[in-house]
């Protein structure tokens, strides 16, 4: 994985419009997919799905971040 990529480690990670469980779900990313890390807010990562270009937030516990990030 590249330095700016994170790996989805749950069956299906919900991509949300904002960094909160109350934010609307805008998409889902399946286990094993790599998504581009754009930023972080508290326990949420702002990410972009390479295939679709979709941008949203995933909970930090749903992804693995490469060492050194």
């Amino acid at each position: 994985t590249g330095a700016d990529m994170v790996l989805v480690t749950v069956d299906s990670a919900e991509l949300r419009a904002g960094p909160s469980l109350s934010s609307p779900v805008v998409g889902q990313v399946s286990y094993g997919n790599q998504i581009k890390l754009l930023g972080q807010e508290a326990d949420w990562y702002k990410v972009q799905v390479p295939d679709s270009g979709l941008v949203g937030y995933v909970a930090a516990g749903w992804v693995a971040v490469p060492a050194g990030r």
Side-chain angles (χ1 to χ4, degrees):
T1 60
D4 62 345
M5 302 297 280
V6 294
L7 183 69
V8 177
T9 59
V10 293
D11 288 341
S12 182
E14 292 179 335
L15 195 63
R16 295 186 177 267
S20 166
L21 286 174
S22 60
S23 295
V25 175
V26 296
Q28 293 192 333
V29 187
S30 300
Y31 176 84
N33 281 314
Q34 292 183 26
I35 48 182
K36 185 173 184 176
L37 181 61
L38 302 176
Q40 181 175 5
E41 288 187 43
D43 292 335
W44 293 82
Y45 290 120
K46 185 174 185 180
V47 297
Q48 181 177 34
V49 181
D51 296 346
S52 65
L54 194 61
V55 174
Y57 289 83
V58 295
W62 296 341
V63 296
V65 179
R69 282 291 305 172

